[in-house]
Amino acid sequence: MSLRTSAFFGIFTLLVGMMGCTHESMNPDPDFINPVNPVVQDPPCDPNLVYFEQDVLPLLQSSCGYAGCHDVATAEDGVILVSYESVMGSKGGDLVSAGNPQNSELYEVLVEDNPNKLMPPPDEGGPLSQDQIDLIYGWIEQGALNNSCADCDSTLASYSGAIELTLAASCTSCHSGANPDGQVDLTSHAGVVNAVTNRNLLGCIRHDAYAEAMPPSGNPLTDCQIQQFQHWIDAGMPND
Ligand code: HEC
Protein backbone atom coordinates (compact mmCIF):
# COMPACT_ATOMS: atom_id res chain seq x y z
CA MET A 1 0.00 0.00 0.00
CA SER A 2 2.80 2.43 0.78
CA LEU A 3 4.45 1.85 -2.60
CA ARG A 4 1.22 2.65 -4.33
CA THR A 5 0.80 5.64 -2.07
CA SER A 6 4.28 6.89 -2.84
CA ALA A 7 3.65 6.51 -6.58
CA PHE A 8 0.45 8.44 -6.11
CA PHE A 9 2.32 11.13 -4.21
CA GLY A 10 4.92 11.31 -6.95
CA ILE A 11 2.31 11.84 -9.64
CA PHE A 12 0.40 14.24 -7.45
CA THR A 13 3.56 16.29 -6.79
CA LEU A 14 4.29 16.36 -10.50
CA LEU A 15 0.78 17.56 -11.35
CA VAL A 16 0.83 20.21 -8.67
CA GLY A 17 4.22 21.32 -9.96
CA MET A 18 2.95 21.59 -13.53
CA MET A 19 0.01 23.64 -12.40
CA GLY A 20 2.43 26.21 -11.08
CA CYS A 21 1.10 25.89 -7.57
CA THR A 22 3.46 27.25 -4.93
CA HIS A 23 2.89 24.45 -2.44
CA GLU A 24 6.15 23.16 -1.00
CA SER A 25 6.72 19.64 -2.19
CA MET A 26 7.79 17.22 0.51
CA ASN A 27 10.34 15.75 -1.86
CA PRO A 28 11.60 18.44 -4.20
CA ASP A 29 14.32 16.25 -5.64
CA PRO A 30 13.38 15.24 -9.20
CA ASP A 31 14.74 11.71 -8.63
CA PHE A 32 11.72 11.13 -6.44
CA ILE A 33 9.45 11.24 -9.45
CA ASN A 34 12.01 10.10 -12.02
CA PRO A 35 13.19 6.83 -10.56
CA VAL A 36 16.39 5.37 -11.85
CA ASN A 37 15.55 2.22 -13.79
CA PRO A 38 16.16 -0.89 -11.76
CA VAL A 39 19.05 -3.16 -12.72
CA VAL A 40 17.51 -6.63 -12.67
CA GLN A 41 20.00 -9.47 -12.64
CA ASP A 42 19.04 -13.05 -13.48
CA PRO A 43 20.13 -15.74 -11.02
CA PRO A 44 22.64 -16.85 -9.96
CA CYS A 45 22.97 -13.75 -7.83
CA ASP A 46 26.43 -12.51 -6.91
CA PRO A 47 27.02 -13.30 -3.21
CA ASN A 48 29.38 -10.33 -2.98
CA LEU A 49 26.80 -7.83 -4.18
CA VAL A 50 24.18 -6.18 -2.01
CA TYR A 51 20.84 -6.01 -3.82
CA PHE A 52 18.60 -3.09 -3.00
CA GLU A 53 15.31 -4.86 -3.69
CA GLN A 54 16.03 -8.05 -1.73
CA ASP A 55 18.52 -6.93 0.94
CA VAL A 56 18.15 -3.23 1.64
CA LEU A 57 14.51 -2.37 1.02
CA PRO A 58 12.97 -4.99 3.36
CA LEU A 59 15.35 -3.85 6.09
CA LEU A 60 14.51 -0.16 5.60
CA GLN A 61 10.79 -0.88 5.42
CA SER A 62 10.72 -2.97 8.56
CA SER A 63 13.14 -0.84 10.60
CA CYS A 64 12.38 2.70 9.44
CA GLY A 65 9.71 3.18 6.78
CA TYR A 66 6.60 2.44 8.81
CA ALA A 67 3.72 4.52 10.13
CA GLY A 68 4.74 7.21 12.61
CA CYS A 69 8.35 7.27 11.41
CA HIS A 70 9.62 7.31 7.83
CA ASP A 71 6.56 6.33 5.81
CA VAL A 72 5.08 8.73 3.25
CA ALA A 73 2.45 10.12 5.61
CA THR A 74 4.81 10.92 8.51
CA ALA A 75 8.08 11.62 6.67
CA GLU A 76 9.86 12.35 9.96
CA ASP A 77 12.63 14.92 9.40
CA GLY A 78 11.81 14.93 5.66
CA VAL A 79 13.01 11.36 5.30
CA ILE A 80 10.90 8.70 3.54
CA LEU A 81 12.28 5.16 3.37
CA VAL A 82 9.73 3.09 1.48
CA SER A 83 11.20 2.78 -2.03
CA TYR A 84 14.37 3.40 -3.99
CA GLU A 85 13.05 6.74 -5.21
CA SER A 86 12.16 7.94 -1.73
CA VAL A 87 15.52 6.88 -0.25
CA MET A 88 17.48 8.64 -2.98
CA GLY A 89 15.15 11.67 -3.11
CA SER A 90 14.76 12.42 0.59
CA LYS A 91 16.38 15.62 1.87
CA GLY A 92 16.98 16.86 -1.65
CA GLY A 93 18.98 13.75 -2.48
CA ASP A 94 21.47 14.27 0.37
CA LEU A 95 20.72 11.13 2.33
CA VAL A 96 22.90 8.85 0.23
CA SER A 97 26.18 9.72 -1.43
CA ALA A 98 26.60 6.80 -3.85
CA GLY A 99 29.97 5.10 -3.37
CA ASN A 100 30.68 7.00 -0.19
CA PRO A 101 29.01 5.57 2.92
CA GLN A 102 31.08 7.70 5.31
CA ASN A 103 29.50 10.79 3.77
CA SER A 104 26.00 9.37 3.69
CA GLU A 105 23.61 10.39 6.44
CA LEU A 106 21.72 7.12 5.93
CA TYR A 107 24.83 5.27 7.17
CA GLU A 108 26.05 7.86 9.67
CA VAL A 109 22.87 7.78 11.75
CA LEU A 110 23.20 3.98 12.13
CA VAL A 111 26.58 4.28 13.89
CA GLU A 112 25.94 7.56 15.69
CA ASP A 113 27.41 7.74 19.25
CA ASN A 114 24.85 10.28 20.40
CA PRO A 115 21.75 8.30 21.44
CA ASN A 116 19.56 11.28 20.53
CA LYS A 117 20.70 11.06 16.91
CA LEU A 118 21.03 7.28 16.61
CA MET A 119 18.65 5.58 14.14
CA PRO A 120 16.50 3.68 14.72
CA PRO A 121 16.10 5.42 18.10
CA PRO A 122 16.99 3.13 21.03
CA ASP A 123 13.31 2.94 22.07
CA GLU A 124 12.36 1.93 18.49
CA GLY A 125 14.70 -1.05 18.34
CA GLY A 126 17.95 0.72 17.45
CA PRO A 127 20.75 0.25 16.81
CA LEU A 128 20.56 -2.23 13.95
CA SER A 129 22.71 -5.36 14.19
CA GLN A 130 26.25 -5.17 12.82
CA ASP A 131 25.23 -7.40 9.88
CA GLN A 132 22.40 -5.04 9.00
CA ILE A 133 24.66 -1.98 9.28
CA ASP A 134 27.24 -3.72 7.07
CA LEU A 135 24.53 -4.34 4.50
CA ILE A 136 23.64 -0.65 4.21
CA TYR A 137 27.35 0.28 4.17
CA GLY A 138 28.08 -2.25 1.41
CA TRP A 139 25.12 -1.18 -0.70
CA ILE A 140 26.17 2.49 -0.62
CA GLU A 141 29.83 1.60 -1.19
CA GLN A 142 28.86 -0.45 -4.24
CA GLY A 143 27.17 2.57 -5.77
CA ALA A 144 23.72 2.62 -4.13
CA LEU A 145 22.23 0.92 -7.17
CA ASN A 146 18.56 0.23 -7.75
CA ASN A 147 19.45 -3.43 -8.27
CA SER A 148 17.54 -6.63 -7.89
CA CYS A 149 18.25 -10.34 -8.11
CA ALA A 150 15.69 -12.90 -7.02
CA ASP A 151 17.04 -16.43 -6.77
CA CYS A 152 14.44 -17.68 -4.34
CA ASP A 153 13.80 -21.41 -4.82
CA SER A 154 10.48 -22.30 -3.25
CA THR A 155 11.55 -25.92 -2.66
CA LEU A 156 14.66 -24.96 -0.66
CA ALA A 157 13.12 -24.15 2.68
CA SER A 158 15.33 -25.11 5.61
CA TYR A 159 15.02 -23.15 8.82
CA SER A 160 18.62 -21.97 8.89
CA GLY A 161 18.54 -21.19 5.19
CA ALA A 162 15.42 -19.57 3.78
CA ILE A 163 13.21 -19.12 6.84
CA GLU A 164 15.71 -17.48 9.17
CA LEU A 165 17.04 -15.21 6.42
CA THR A 166 13.58 -13.98 5.46
CA LEU A 167 12.64 -13.34 9.08
CA ALA A 168 15.88 -11.44 9.69
CA ALA A 169 15.33 -9.28 6.62
CA SER A 170 11.64 -8.52 7.08
CA CYS A 171 10.43 -9.29 10.59
CA THR A 172 12.91 -9.39 13.47
CA SER A 173 13.39 -5.63 13.62
CA CYS A 174 9.97 -5.59 15.33
CA HIS A 175 9.81 -9.16 16.60
CA SER A 176 12.89 -9.42 18.83
CA GLY A 177 14.17 -8.26 22.18
CA ALA A 178 12.64 -8.23 25.64
CA ASN A 179 9.34 -6.74 24.50
CA PRO A 180 8.72 -7.82 20.88
CA ASP A 181 5.73 -6.45 18.95
CA GLY A 182 2.60 -8.50 19.55
CA GLN A 183 4.67 -10.50 22.08
CA VAL A 184 5.88 -12.54 19.11
CA ASP A 185 9.61 -13.35 19.15
CA LEU A 186 10.85 -14.52 15.75
CA THR A 187 14.56 -14.82 16.56
CA SER A 188 14.58 -18.47 17.61
CA HIS A 189 13.28 -21.73 16.16
CA ALA A 190 11.00 -22.22 19.18
CA GLY A 191 9.63 -18.70 18.83
CA VAL A 192 8.80 -19.18 15.17
CA VAL A 193 7.16 -22.58 15.78
CA ASN A 194 5.07 -20.95 18.48
CA ALA A 195 4.05 -18.10 16.14
CA VAL A 196 3.02 -20.56 13.42
CA THR A 197 1.12 -22.81 15.84
CA ASN A 198 -0.57 -20.24 18.05
CA ARG A 199 -0.52 -16.91 16.21
CA ASN A 200 -1.32 -17.78 12.60
CA LEU A 201 2.02 -16.63 11.18
CA LEU A 202 1.22 -18.13 7.77
CA GLY A 203 -2.09 -16.26 7.54
CA CYS A 204 -0.32 -13.04 8.51
CA ILE A 205 2.28 -13.28 5.71
CA ARG A 206 -0.36 -14.43 3.17
CA HIS A 207 -2.49 -11.43 4.19
CA ASP A 208 -5.47 -13.69 4.85
CA ALA A 209 -8.70 -11.83 5.52
CA TYR A 210 -8.87 -12.28 9.28
CA ALA A 211 -5.15 -12.23 10.01
CA GLU A 212 -2.94 -9.25 10.87
CA ALA A 213 -1.13 -8.43 7.59
CA MET A 214 2.63 -8.85 8.13
CA PRO A 215 4.83 -7.02 7.55
CA PRO A 216 2.30 -4.31 8.49
CA SER A 217 3.60 -1.89 5.86
CA GLY A 218 5.81 -2.00 2.81
CA ASN A 219 6.08 -4.88 0.38
CA PRO A 220 4.54 -8.18 1.36
CA LEU A 221 6.83 -11.21 1.21
CA THR A 222 7.13 -12.62 -2.31
CA ASP A 223 5.06 -15.61 -3.43
CA CYS A 224 8.23 -17.68 -3.43
CA GLN A 225 9.06 -16.72 0.17
CA ILE A 226 5.52 -17.55 1.29
CA GLN A 227 5.77 -20.95 -0.47
CA GLN A 228 9.02 -21.59 1.42
CA PHE A 229 7.18 -21.07 4.71
CA GLN A 230 4.40 -23.35 3.49
CA HIS A 231 6.90 -26.11 2.56
CA TRP A 232 8.73 -25.76 5.85
CA ILE A 233 5.49 -25.94 7.85
CA ASP A 234 4.27 -28.94 5.79
CA ALA A 235 7.57 -30.69 6.60
CA GLY A 236 6.85 -30.30 10.33
CA MET A 237 8.91 -27.15 10.94
CA PRO A 238 12.27 -28.91 11.36
CA ASN A 239 15.15 -27.06 13.03
CA ASP A 240 17.36 -27.82 10.01
C1 HEC B 1 7.17 -2.63 11.68
C2 HEC B 1 7.03 -3.63 12.70
C3 HEC B 1 6.66 -5.04 12.28
C4 HEC B 1 7.23 -5.82 11.32
C5 HEC B 1 8.35 -5.47 10.35
C6 HEC B 1 6.59 -7.10 11.37
N1 HEC B 1 5.64 -7.09 12.36
FE1 HEC B 1 4.50 -8.69 12.97
N2 HEC B 1 3.54 -7.49 14.32
C7 HEC B 1 3.81 -6.17 14.54
C8 HEC B 1 2.86 -5.67 15.52
C9 HEC B 1 2.79 -4.24 16.03
C10 HEC B 1 2.03 -6.76 15.87
C11 HEC B 1 0.85 -6.74 16.84
C12 HEC B 1 -0.37 -6.46 16.03
C13 HEC B 1 -1.60 -6.45 16.88
O1 HEC B 1 -1.71 -7.28 17.77
O2 HEC B 1 -2.44 -5.60 16.60
C14 HEC B 1 2.50 -7.89 15.12
C15 HEC B 1 1.92 -9.14 15.21
C16 HEC B 1 2.41 -10.28 14.55
C17 HEC B 1 1.91 -11.62 14.71
C18 HEC B 1 0.76 -12.03 15.64
C19 HEC B 1 -0.54 -11.85 14.93
C20 HEC B 1 -1.71 -12.23 15.79
O3 HEC B 1 -2.84 -12.01 15.34
O4 HEC B 1 -1.54 -12.74 16.90
C21 HEC B 1 2.63 -12.44 13.89
C22 HEC B 1 2.48 -13.94 13.71
C23 HEC B 1 3.59 -11.59 13.18
N3 HEC B 1 3.43 -10.29 13.61
C24 HEC B 1 4.49 -12.04 12.25
C25 HEC B 1 5.32 -11.22 11.50
C26 HEC B 1 6.15 -11.71 10.43
C27 HEC B 1 6.27 -13.15 9.97
C28 HEC B 1 6.81 -10.61 9.94
C29 HEC B 1 7.75 -10.55 8.76
C30 HEC B 1 7.27 -11.10 7.51
C31 HEC B 1 6.39 -9.45 10.72
N4 HEC B 1 5.48 -9.87 11.64
C32 HEC B 1 6.88 -8.17 10.52
C33 HEC B 1 4.82 -5.42 13.96
C34 HEC B 1 5.64 -5.86 12.94
Side-chain angles (χ1 to χ4, degrees):
M1 118 62 186
S2 53
L3 280 182
R4 217 173 284 164
T5 315
S6 75
F8 170 78
F9 260 73
I11 291 163
F12 181 73
T13 311
L14 180 69
L15 288 177
V16 168
M18 289 190 318
M19 285 155 58
C21 175
T22 54
H23 272 135
E24 273 268 314
S25 149
M26 218 155 37
N27 288 279
D29 190 273
D31 280 351
F32 188 71
I33 46 177
N34 292 318
V36 178
N37 289 335
V39 181
V40 180
Q41 183 183 319
D42 288 331
C45 307
D46 183 342
N48 296 316
L49 271 187
V50 182
Y51 295 97
F52 180 77
E53 180 83 21
Q54 286 74 25
D55 303 324
V56 176
L57 185 59
L59 175 61
L60 292 178
Q61 285 178 329
S62 61
S63 303
C64 328
Y66 52 83
C69 297
H70 298 293
D71 68 336
V72 175
T74 315
E76 191 70 43
D77 201 22
V79 174
I80 302 177
L81 301 173
V82 300
S83 64
Y84 184 78
E85 301 80 55
S86 63
V87 173
M88 301 308 281
S90 285
K91 295 204 144 182
D94 283 347
L95 209 55
V96 174
S97 168
N100 199 344
Q102 304 286 358
N103 277 342
S104 296
E105 203 181 327
L106 184 69
Y107 169 71
E108 284 167 2
V109 294
L110 304 179
V111 294
E112 178 61 62
D113 289 333
N114 181 344
N116 295 325
K117 293 186 181 163
L118 178 73
M119 287 290 145
D123 59 357
E124 290 278 349
L128 298 181
S129 72
Q130 191 59 49
D131 283 353
Q132 292 172 323
I133 294 171
D134 290 348
L135 211 59
I136 305 268
Y137 185 96
W139 171 67
I140 298 175
E141 193 181 37
Q142 290 170 3
L145 302 174
N146 188 6
N147 55 352
S148 170
C149 182
D151 64 355
C152 175
D153 179 340
S154 65
T155 61
L156 294 180
S158 66
Y159 177 72
S160 60
I163 302 299
E164 212 173 19
L165 289 181
T166 297
L167 293 171
S170 300
C171 319
T172 58
S173 55
C174 299
H175 291 289
S176 62
N179 193 17
D181 276 352
Q183 295 304 309
V184 173
D185 181 0
L186 298 178
T187 59
S188 70
H189 176 260
V192 180
V193 170
N194 183 48
V196 172
T197 313
N198 301 316
R199 306 295 295 277
N200 191 16
L201 182 145
L202 190 61
C204 295
I205 59 175
R206 283 196 310 227
H207 292 194
D208 285 359
Y210 295 103
E212 296 277 348
M214 291 289 144
S217 58
N219 290 342
L221 298 184
T222 64
D223 289 345
C224 177
Q225 287 174 310
I226 294 169
Q227 280 164 21
Q228 288 178 325
F229 273 91
Q230 181 78 67
H231 282 300
W232 179 69
I233 293 167
D234 290 348
M237 300 189 271
N239 190 0
D240 51 355

